[in-house]
């Protein structure tokens, strides 16, 4: 899951970036509206966190341009306490949710989970053979036993689960797992996949390697 934060307040952006990265999301930061607009044109995101009071291009204009390109990307608006009118306009322009500053990080994270889940079209708990994945709490179980997964492994598992039975290339994995400035090589992706595969093996859940192309989470045999 890859998230773009459009926020000119570096302290807020930094706090958000850290906490979302800890949660296994890839995060990019755009400090003004123009940068946000061009990032949205060039990269694939799963969510936009949009401050309305942005320099160079106001947040509402970023949102308007996004929706005029027929993008369905979920948008979470951040507004100041007194910005009721902007908030309403934001929702009218197609924002999916909003939060008023100052906000609790825990609440924002919960809303991020809800929005990214909705956009991936996933249900709260995904059952896959012996594997069950709770996308609200972001924990996986095999036959009822909890799996210990790193943030990267959780990110990887989520991508594979939402594309079950389909090929996912290494470039797509890099794109979804890493934000700007984070260098993750294909070799590192291979290591993450190797680790996750080992952990899933116990439950008979298989990640197939399609040589030279990428990976595919095989459908459970019972289906
Ligand atoms: Ca601002």
């Amino acid at each position: 899951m890859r998230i773009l934060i459009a926020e000119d307040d570096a302290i807020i952006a930094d706090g958000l970036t850290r906490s979302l990265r800890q949660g296994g999301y890839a995060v990019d930061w755009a400090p003004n509206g123009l940068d946000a607009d061009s990032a949205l044109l060039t990269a694939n995101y799963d969510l936009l966190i949009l401050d309305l009071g942005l320099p160079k291009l106001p947040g509402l204009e970023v949102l308007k341009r996004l929706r005029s390109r027929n993008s369905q990307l979920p948008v979470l608006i951040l507004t100041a306490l007194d910005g009721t009118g902007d908030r309403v306009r934001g929702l009218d322009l197609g924002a999916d949710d909003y939060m008023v500053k100052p906000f609790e990080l825990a609440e924002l994270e919960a809303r991020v989970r809800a929005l990214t889940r909705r956009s991936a079209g996933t249900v709260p708990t995904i059952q896959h053979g012996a594997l069950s994945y709770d996308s609200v709490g972001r924990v996986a179980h095999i036959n009822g036993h909890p799996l210990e997964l790193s943030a990267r492994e959780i990110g990887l598992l989520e991508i594979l689960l939402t594309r079950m039975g389909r090929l996912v290339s290494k470039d797509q994995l890099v794109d979804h797992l890493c934000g700007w400035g984070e260098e993750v090589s294909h070799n590192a992706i291979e290591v993450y996949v190797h680790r996750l595969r080992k952990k899933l093996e116990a439950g008979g859940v298989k990640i197939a390697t399609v040589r030279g192309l990428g990976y595919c989470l095989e459908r459970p045999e019972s289906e």
Side-chain angles (χ1 to χ4, degrees):
M1 293 280 175
R2 189 165 177 176
I3 298 175
L4 179 67
I5 299 174
E7 168 63 75
D8 60 321
D9 184 323
I11 294 172
I12 294 178
D14 192 53
L16 278 177
T17 303
R18 277 165 203 251
S19 88
L20 291 171
R21 278 195 183 144
Q22 262 173 21
Y25 295 100
V27 183
D28 295 335
W29 172 40
N32 64 64
L34 278 184
D35 285 358
D37 190 51
S38 55
L40 290 166
L41 281 165
T42 50
N44 275 320
Y45 292 101
D46 301 289
L47 175 71
L48 167 64
I49 297 177
L50 180 66
D51 175 32
L52 290 185
L54 285 175
K56 296 193 183 174
L57 192 67
L60 284 176
E61 188 57 32
V62 174
L63 178 60
K64 214 159 126 189
R65 290 188 186 186
L66 179 75
R67 292 299 184 233
S68 74
R69 297 191 289 268
N70 292 319
S71 167
Q72 306 283 317
L73 178 71
V75 177
L76 172 64
I77 281 180
L78 300 180
T79 58
L81 252 186
D82 53 359
T84 317
D86 281 348
R87 201 151 73 224
V88 171
R89 271 201 71 206
L91 293 170
D92 282 347
L93 281 172
D96 299 272
D97 200 357
Y98 70 88
M99 288 203 69
V100 175
K101 294 178 186 177
F103 50 81
E104 293 290 330
L105 267 181
E107 189 187 348
L108 182 122
E109 285 168 11
R111 292 186 188 216
V112 165
R113 283 197 295 273
L115 287 169
T116 51
R117 193 165 64 234
R118 215 182 296 158
S119 78
T122 47
V123 287
T125 302
I126 304 168
Q127 196 66 41
H128 179 83
L131 170 75
S132 71
Y133 182 69
D134 165 10
S135 65
V136 179
R138 303 184 84 203
V139 285
H141 288 81
I142 291 264
N143 292 322
H145 300 290
L147 272 186
E148 268 190 44
L149 299 175
S150 69
R152 281 273 198 246
E153 288 162 355
I154 287 173
L156 181 61
L157 180 61
E158 283 178 345
I159 298 165
L160 291 170
L161 278 173
T162 53
R163 291 166 175 75
M164 195 190 302
R166 283 182 284 159
L167 178 79
V168 185
S169 72
K170 285 183 192 169
D171 283 337
Q172 281 173 316
L173 290 176
V174 170
D175 199 45
H176 280 274
L177 290 173
C178 310
W180 300 333
E182 276 184 282
E183 288 289 328
V184 170
S185 62
H186 281 190
N187 283 347
I189 294 285
E190 282 169 22
V191 172
Y192 297 140
V193 170
H194 176 77
R195 287 189 193 145
L196 180 62
R197 179 182 278 148
K198 283 246 165 238
K199 292 178 183 178
L200 297 180
E201 248 169 20
V205 177
K206 288 184 195 135
I207 303 174
T209 301
V210 185
R211 214 158 275 290
L213 293 175
Y215 303 98
C216 169
L217 186 68
E218 293 183 353
R219 291 187 178 279
E221 277 166 17
S222 55
E223 274 183 17

